[in-house]
Amino acid sequence: MEYRTAGEGETEALGERLGKTLSPGAVVAFTGDLGAGKTAFTRGLARGLGIPGRVTSPTFTIVNEYEGGRLPLFHFDMYRLGGSDELFDIGWEDYLRRGGVCAVEWSETVSDALEGCIRVDIRRGEGENDRIITICEGDGT
Ligand SMILES: Nc1ncnc2c1ncn2[C@@H]1O[C@H](COP(=O)(O)OP(=O)(O)OP(=O)(O)O)[C@@H](O)[C@H]1O
Ligand SMILES: [Mg+2]
């Protein structure tokens, strides 16, 4: 499904809607440039999961963990990862087993390791604040 948003708040609201539908073990894999809105969308996911508090970019930590919602949220930023081999080093499989939601920024870096996930691609539209967001569920719909 393709959506268009005209500001950060609308992207967050779209993330919130998706967050309400997610099941334990869901992986949301983002693609899209710097400043596309991946963290903004993830902030919405957190809200949809009922997680209190502030979601910040995990750029320097690779993963941030948020508890206190319907499901835990593990927010990854793979920008600095060398490739999917390094996923094992950060304990990716343990995160998958914990029955939370994994939101993965810069999933391009590890795309060969992410099968059956929900793909969220965010690109810029015509105006400064326009974004075109494509959400593709694991089964290809
Ligand atoms: N429609 C929109 N949706 C989301 N963000 C928007 C939109 N319009 C403008 N913005 C701005 O774009 C920026 C998006 O930042 P954000 O940190 O979410 O991007 P990102 O994709 O996570 O980038 P990075 O790759 O650096 O982590 C914010 O400054 C936000 O205010
Ligand atoms: Mg980000």
Side-chain angles (χ1 to χ4, degrees), residues 1-126:
M1 277 290 283
E2 187 180 282
Y3 303 86
R4 284 163 193 269
T5 65
E8 188 172 8
E10 288 185 23
T11 296
E12 285 185 24
L14 192 59
E16 181 174 1
R17 264 170 57 194
L18 180 63
K20 287 183 169 147
T21 71
L22 295 174
S23 314
V27 177
V28 180
F30 292 99
T31 49
D33 284 343
L34 282 167
K38 303 180 290 294
T39 299
F41 192 104
T42 304
R43 218 177 286 127
L45 282 181
R47 209 196 292 150
L49 288 166
I51 289 165
R54 201 177 135 68
V55 168
T56 54
S57 177
T59 304
F60 298 102
T61 51
I62 301 189
V63 57
N64 287 339
E65 303 187 23
Y66 299 94
E67 309 274 350
R70 181 171 65 82
L71 300 171
L73 172 66
F74 309 122
H75 182 197
F76 293 84
D77 188 330
M78 305 304 194
Y79 190 73
R80 276 155 215 280
L81 225 60
S84 50
D85 289 353
E86 291 180 24
L87 270 179
F88 295 98
D89 301 337
I90 63 167
W92 172 249
E93 294 192 308
D94 294 324
Y95 284 105
L96 287 182
R97 273 195 285 268
R98 284 167 66 184
V101 170
C102 292
V104 184
E105 297 197 29
W106 293 100
S107 67
E108 293 94 330
T109 312
V110 295
S111 58
D112 50 326
L114 303 178
E115 281 168 8
C117 61
I118 299 166
R119 298 190 180 274
V120 177
D121 179 66
I122 310 181
R123 24 203 87 251
R124 288 167 191 279
E126 274 179 19

